[in-house]
Amino acid sequence: MGEVQTVNNMVDITIDGVEYKAKEGEYILNAARANDIFIPAICYLTRCSPTLACRICLVEADGKQVYACNSKVKEGMEVTIDTPTILEERRAIMEVYDVNHPLQCGVCDKSGECELQNYTLELGVDSQSYMIPDTKRETTNWSSVLHYDPGLCIVCERCTTVCKDMIGDAAITTAKRGGAELDKGYKDSMPKDAYSMWNKLQKSVIAPSNGTGETNCSDCGECIAVCPVGALVSRDFVYSSNAWDLKRVPAVAAHSSDGSQIYYEVKPTSIEDRTEKIFRITNEWAYVSLDGSARFAYDFQNTTASKDEVAFQNAIEAFKKAETVRFNAMITNEEAMMLQTLKEKMGVRLYNPEVRAFQKFLNHYEAASGNSLWTTDTDRIMKESDFVISIGAALRNDSPAMKYAFNNVQKLNKGAGLYFHPVGDTLIPTFGKTVEVFNHGVGLEEAALYLVLDLFADKEKLPSDVKDYIASFQKSDTKTITEKVEKTVKEMVLNEETGEEEEISKKVKENVEKEITVSINGLVDLLGGNAATFEDTFAKMMKKKESFSMMLGEDLYYHKKAENIAKLVALVEATCDINVVMTPPKSNALGVALICDLDDAQSGYTVGYNENGDFKLSALGTGDLDMPAMNQQEGTLTSIGKRVLPTNAAVEYEGYELNDLMQALVGAPELTIDWTSMLPSDKGFKALAFDSLTNSFSNDGVDHRGYKLERNDAETELPEVEKFDESAVLEGEIAYRCNPARQFNDFTDKSHEIFETFALYASTEKAASLGEKVEVVFDNGSITLDVVADAKITGDIVKVPDYRAAEGVYDLFDGSRYKTVTLRKV
Ligand code: SF4
Ligand code: SF4
Ligand code: FES
């Protein structure tokens, strides 16, 4: 299947008498923004549902007053942004927002970038018509990163909306404030919308939804990003800097493969120390949502580096005798190109097992489908899809972008979802009413793909052996049901007139048990679903669904039957109307997979780059030669969206770079970014210079960062797929190689606002049975870990993190994500 193309019907509208084109079905506000026209709006968040909390977006459309954020454009619609009544409403709304707002702009964290300040000025509010006694509201910390000041909160509900509609945690909600009642006279004397908004505002604050005062959420900080005022701020940032003192460095979030747009915000550390320091991360929150690692894992730079000539010469010698270079996905495309050049010129092996598994999977997929890359991306799923399937990923941990897309489809597109994973996660079913979760046995991922074929394939297109195989799982069963039947009974009653007993007939309802034959989908049963009800459930899920997507995760790349799985994916694409996206495991895995000719094993003397080795290059400052960390480098990263994205250096670096070693070893251009235009065009890269790459979104939310990889799309025969082996399901005590959300690597671990620990994570029940510490014994070694209870995990499988390279967890799992282990209490 080729790349999906979006075709939107356009309609003609006028705004303030000027003609514009707008996407059919688009909200007036978004249509105006796409045409670079400003309509005041506070509460609305693009990509989330309108809440009508602020009412400031009032406009007139075809003679009627409507809210621009929840009214859709129609062919020929005439929109007027300002009328005298609307201007009066907007002014009153802003006056109300300013009632009792604390006079602390001079020290407020938001000052200078505050929407309350901006709109107060924009709408010329220079006097106050309203008043009400204030209520004392205490500041609180909701989590290790969230600081809330209800005194500053304007209850716009952006934070609660983004948390529910985008992030999927729904961890915060509006709560009762206990404020004074509005003077009854205002109801008649002030503009209607301003009154309604004020009435609600006066009664509400924001609070954790679980009633505990603590959010117990993903700590992504997206609520902080969208807060228009200083009410929600990161605990670390409170009173640390004026917004206008910070310089924004556009970059790409380094840790996951989401490729999220970020700004490192920097300024000198102090009056005495003029070294630039990163104070916080911000993002273009209207177009992109960050996970906790992208927002809070920013201070991982290598601060110890200097030009150590001896270490540099030792590195040259180490490379000369190296048989292998071992590295991970935390490098730029340019560095990957350098390592590939070393392989070509010096014959070293390139060992990167996590990317190698992914690379092989991609190769199998290309051979089977003719596509060099997957056919959709997370952004497109959110915009278009109304049915998502996730297989082989612990969404909450592996890929925040996939989790957000899965949730967003349910919330915004009235979608449905199928989630297949062996580890239970209490959050996933809360994303929507039509989400079906299959916590299947470890190893049954092929069965999940066969079920997808069964449910969605055009059976005429399927090879007959596959069709027969799928049909062989259809069984019939007998089921006892209770039915109400009407029965006629006779009874004797006394006739009051005659005084004699008479027989009368009466209809009564009675429950009777009955055996019926039902068809059972054996695949649903095998995967842990409710086979008896699934047919009905699925029929409901499919109602009015038009756009189907499938998200594939890391478990599949490390599966023993990865090749067959890749073929099944190709078969799904060829026979079902489903587009596919794959999660590259960590950071720049896709770039490395495309650029480097990776080896299956390491041998001999090894140079480790941020990995173990006989000689170690380290951006963590813990090796034999220092390297710059990702926030100290210019270069490009390749994302899950198949984009090549430019990232910039936020803080200074004093030491040597990989390009310096390249110059000494095999010859290289002057700068690292001189490699950007040399990235391999046969793999979809373009011969574009780093400085020519753009780094922005347009007002309609279209991503113009960097460029999109070219995909090869060749015609192929349908792949021949194998059956799966039901008996290959892993039994016993199972460990799953999986990091806590927000932890991806040694660099997130180094960052001071990431608190998740290197421990074994288990469901509350499992953790209680294990005690405080366990030794996890594998075939080839063991590791001792503290036990952490995660209330969102269900079932018995335990999660073992691999984010610290030195702990060697990756090797313990021996190229797999699941292992049978022995858990010994310590
Ligand atoms: S905390 Fe901020 S985003 Fe949330 S309701 Fe208050 S003002 Fe709006
Ligand atoms: S940090 Fe993220 S998950 Fe937690 S409340 Fe804010 S938006 Fe929701
Ligand atoms: S932006 Fe439309 S009601 Fe707030």
Side-chain angles (χ1 to χ4, degrees):
M1 182 188 279
E3 181 105 10
V4 260
Q5 294 298 334
T6 320
V7 183
N8 274 103
N9 292 333
M10 302 300 278
V11 293
D12 293 305
I13 59 168
T14 63
I15 302 178
D16 289 342
V18 182
E19 285 186 10
Y20 295 99
K21 296 265 178 220
K23 279 188 206 154
E24 193 177 14
E26 184 68 282
Y27 292 127
I28 296 171
L29 181 62
N30 287 337
R33 286 176 175 175
N35 285 293
D36 295 336
I37 295 169
F38 172 70
I39 297 177
I42 295 180
C43 68
Y44 179 70
L45 288 171
T46 328
R47 311 177 302 147
C48 294
S49 20
T51 57
L52 301 188
C54 80
R55 308 193 176 209
I56 206 167
C57 68
L58 274 173
V59 292
E60 199 175 270
D62 291 339
K64 274 206 297 217
Q65 220 163 276
V66 297
Y67 304 108
C69 70
N70 89 330
S71 307
K72 294 182 173 171
V73 292
K74 281 196 266 196
E75 177 61 41
M77 183 181 258
E78 289 177 9
V79 178
T80 309
I81 298 175
D82 301 332
T83 66
T85 334
I86 287 173
L87 286 174
E88 205 187 316
E89 279 281 8
R90 284 204 203 117
R91 156 128 196 164
I93 287 169
M94 283 321 297
E95 280 191 43
V96 164
Y97 274 139
D98 288 332
V99 170
N100 294 335
H101 194 83
L103 289 172
Q104 61 180 58
C105 292
V107 293
C108 178
D109 293 303
K110 199 71 177 179
S111 196
E113 55 179 15
C114 171
E115 291 180 47
L116 188 64
Q117 283 178 339
N118 293 349
Y119 278 114
T120 300
L121 292 173
E122 173 78 30
L123 301 183
V125 178
D126 53 4
S127 60
Q128 181 57 273
S129 321
Y130 311 106
M131 65 180 104
I132 192 162
D134 202 0
T135 329
K136 189 166 170 52
R137 286 156 281 164
E138 301 287 348
T139 57
T140 47
N141 292 323
W142 288 337
S143 77
S144 43
V145 295
L146 300 173
H147 175 86
Y148 177 58
D149 184 343
L152 298 175
C153 177
I154 59 169
V155 196
C156 67
E157 298 178 38
R158 274 198 202 165
C159 53
T160 57
T161 307
V162 83
C163 189
K164 174 168 67 67
D165 286 357
M166 182 55 62
I167 309 304
D169 280 40
I172 43 180
T173 186
T174 47
K176 283 208 177 101
R177 165 177 162 179
E181 291 281 320
L182 295 193
D183 186 323
K184 294 265 180 311
Y186 283 136
K187 188 158 193 185
D188 304 320
S189 65
M190 68 187 289
K192 207 164 56 41
D193 279 288
Y195 176 84
S196 308
M197 187 282 282
W198 192 13
N199 199 23
K200 188 167 172 225
L201 165 66
Q202 192 57 22
K203 290 177 181 159
S204 317
V205 284
I206 305 297
S209 327
N210 57 17
T212 65
E214 288 181 9
T215 46
N216 187 23
C217 66
S218 306
D219 275 342
C220 67
E222 201 58 16
C223 49
I224 295 171
V226 300
C227 182
V229 293
L232 258 175
V233 179
S234 127
R235 282 174 71 172
D236 189 72
F237 188 70
V238 175
Y239 299 139
S240 67
S241 176
N242 290 318
W244 57 82
D245 283 340
L246 295 164
K247 184 177 76 188
R248 289 178 143 195
V249 180
V252 180
H255 308 295
S256 76
S257 56
D258 296 350
S260 304
Q261 172 277 336
I262 56 167
Y263 297 109
Y264 290 110
E265 299 217 348
V266 299
K267 71 170 190 179
T269 308
S270 64
I271 292 172
E272 298 76 33
D273 181 358
R274 304 310 287 167
T275 325
E276 295 225 306
K277 176 182 147 184
I278 303 169
F279 275 71
R280 66 173 178 182
I281 296 258
T282 53
N283 59 319
E284 294 287 355
W285 44 262
Y287 313 124
V288 63
S289 300
L290 301 185
D291 74 296
S293 72
R295 184 170 307 284
F296 296 112
Y298 52 82
D299 54 335
F300 54 85
Q301 62 270 21
N302 190 353
T303 49
T304 59
S306 62
K307 294 230 164 174
D308 180 340
E309 187 56 33
V310 175
F312 186 73
Q313 286 309 325
N314 290 341
I316 303 273
E317 292 313 311
F319 269 104
K320 282 186 181 159
K321 64 180 173 189
E323 258 184 56
T324 304
V325 177
R326 180 170 182 168
F327 63 111
N328 56 38
M330 194 71 171
I331 64 171
T332 61
N333 291 322
E334 289 71 16
E335 288 181 301
M337 187 71 193
M338 290 180 210
L339 295 180
Q340 177 61 19
T341 306
L342 276 188
K343 174 167 192 165
E344 285 162 16
K345 299 208 170 162
M346 294 176 69
V348 289
R349 284 168 174 255
L350 296 182
Y351 186 57
N352 185 334
E354 67 185 356
V355 178
R356 179 63 179 142
F358 175 57
Q359 185 180 51
K360 280 185 177 169
F361 190 85
L362 275 181
N363 293 343
H364 294 315
Y365 168 72
E366 181 168 12
S369 68
N371 297 335
S372 61
L373 288 168
W374 46 93
T375 44
T376 189
D377 55 60
T378 41
D379 189 38
R380 184 162 267 163
I381 290 173
M382 289 199 251
K383 284 188 180 134
E384 296 168 8
S385 194
D386 52 19
F387 200 117
V388 274
I389 303 159
S390 170
I391 305 178
L395 277 191
R396 191 159 56 89
N397 309 66
D398 292 354
S399 174
M402 295 270 219
K403 173 198 159 194
Y404 297 169
F406 194 107
N407 171 61
N408 197 249
V409 163
Q410 313 309 319
K411 301 282 173 30
L412 270 265
N413 305 350
K414 297 194 180 94
L418 297 171
Y419 181 77
F420 297 90
H421 202 265
V423 183
D425 189 320
T426 57
L427 204 61
I428 307 287
T430 67
F431 289 171
K433 288 200 180 92
T434 45
V435 171
E436 278 294 296
V437 174
F438 292 83
N439 293 135
H440 57 78
V442 175
L444 284 179
E445 289 73 10
E446 290 160 292
L449 284 157
Y450 272 108
L451 179 61
V452 171
L453 286 171
D454 185 13
L455 299 174
F456 296 95
D458 175 348
K459 299 276 173 14
E460 296 306 308
K461 289 188 187 164
L462 277 182
S464 57
D465 59 332
V466 176
K467 209 159 50 174
D468 294 345
Y469 183 49
I470 291 172
S472 72
F473 289 96
Q474 288 297 337
K475 302 171 203 154
S476 56
D477 200 1
T478 50
K479 191 170 136 188
T480 311
I481 57 161
T482 311
E483 243 184 17
K484 275 204 183 331
V485 289
E486 211 172 56
K487 241 170 111 180
T488 308
V489 288
K490 295 201 160 75
E491 65 182 16
M492 301 301 288
V493 290
L494 185 71
N495 185 328
E496 285 180 3
E497 278 178 24
T498 61
E500 285 178 11
E501 284 215 325
E502 291 178 355
E503 187 183 83
I504 61 155
S505 296
K506 202 165 118 185
K507 294 215 159 121
V508 291
K509 288 203 172 143
E510 199 175 74
N511 285 339
V512 287
E513 292 203 330
K514 190 175 155 190
E515 288 226 318
I516 56 162
T517 307
V518 287
S519 62
I520 296 282
N521 189 326
L523 286 166
V524 172
D525 199 29
L526 187 66
L527 289 159
N530 186 340
T533 57
F534 186 73
E535 204 174 325
D536 289 345
T537 310
F538 186 67
K540 279 189 202 127
M541 294 174 88
M542 287 295 282
K543 268 192 192 148
K544 297 193 186 157
K545 300 302 184 298
E546 290 173 350
S547 175
F548 302 84
S549 312
M550 184 163 73
M551 304 167 162
L552 303 177
E554 276 181 59
D555 297 5
L556 308 182
Y557 320 145
Y558 303 99
H559 198 285
K560 281 199 184 92
K561 301 275 296 295
E563 180 170 0
N564 195 44
I565 288 177
K567 288 179 180 173
L568 282 165
V569 172
L571 193 59
V572 167
E573 281 195 305
T575 59
C576 312
D577 192 10
I578 295 178
N579 292 299
V580 168
V581 59
M582 300 177 194
T583 313
K586 296 181 189 171
S587 197
N588 193 25
L590 177 57
V592 173
L594 294 173
I595 295 163
C596 295
D597 177 10
L598 298 173
D599 291 275
D600 283 323
Q602 79 184 97
S603 64
Y605 189 86
T606 298
V607 173
Y609 184 7
N610 293 326
E611 287 285 334
N612 298 335
D614 299 306
F615 186 93
K616 204 170 156 190
L617 310 177
S618 171
L620 291 156
T622 55
D624 301 304
L625 179 71
D626 283 310
M627 286 282 116
M630 200 70 96
N631 55 7
Q632 295 170 299
Q633 292 200 53
E634 278 185 325
T636 57
L637 297 171
T638 314
S639 70
I640 192 171
K642 298 170 287 180
R643 295 192 84 85
V644 180
L645 304 165
T647 192
N648 292 295
V651 281
E652 292 230 323
Y653 171 72
E654 305 284 346
Y656 287 106
E657 298 178 7
L658 192 58
N659 197 45
D660 298 320
L661 287 167
M662 292 296 292
Q663 285 170 355
L665 287 164
V666 291
E670 191 190 344
L671 301 170
T672 295
I673 53 169
D674 292 334
W675 292 85
T676 310
S677 57
M678 298 195 279
L679 298 172
S681 57
D682 60 331
K683 297 291 180 176
F685 291 92
K686 296 182 182 170
L688 292 174
F690 180 81
D691 288 333
S692 72
L693 300 179
T694 48
N695 208 346
S696 62
F697 293 85
S698 49
N699 273 352
D700 55 1
V702 176
D703 193 346
H704 298 288
R705 297 175 304 145
Y707 63 86
K708 207 147 193 186
L709 287 167
E710 301 279 353
R711 284 170 69 254
N712 295 328
D713 193 0
E715 284 292 313
T716 43
E717 301 280 310
L718 285 186
E720 280 182 31
V721 292
E722 289 171 16
K723 295 175 179 175
F724 63 91
D725 179 4
E726 285 178 46
S727 64
V729 175
L730 223 54
E731 302 283 359
E733 201 79 84
I734 298 170
Y736 178 46
R737 183 169 54 76
C738 181
N739 290 317
R742 309 206 317 157
Q743 284 284 21
F744 283 91
N745 49 45
D746 284 301
F747 298 95
T748 51
D749 197 23
K750 187 179 175 186
S751 305
H752 85 284
E753 284 195 81
I754 301 291
F755 308 103
E756 288 76 3
T757 54
F758 195 83
L760 177 140
Y761 289 78
S763 67
T764 314
E765 298 74 32
K766 185 75 182 173
S769 75
L770 291 174
E772 284 181 7
K773 212 183 244 296
V774 282
E775 185 187 8
V776 190
V777 185
F778 295 79
D779 296 344
N780 56 352
S782 73
I783 187 166
T784 300
L785 295 165
D786 288 339
V787 176
V788 172
D790 179 346
K792 295 195 179 102
I793 299 177
T794 59
D796 280 342
I797 298 176
V798 297
K799 293 182 177 174
V800 174
D802 69 356
Y803 65 83
R804 282 187 190 155
E807 301 279 358
V809 169
Y810 193 87
D811 296 333
L812 288 173
F813 275 86
D814 192 21
S816 174
R817 256 198 116 173
Y818 296 92
K819 274 282 171 196
T820 308
V821 293
T822 306
L823 297 175
R824 284 197 198 125
K825 283 191 195 186
V826 174

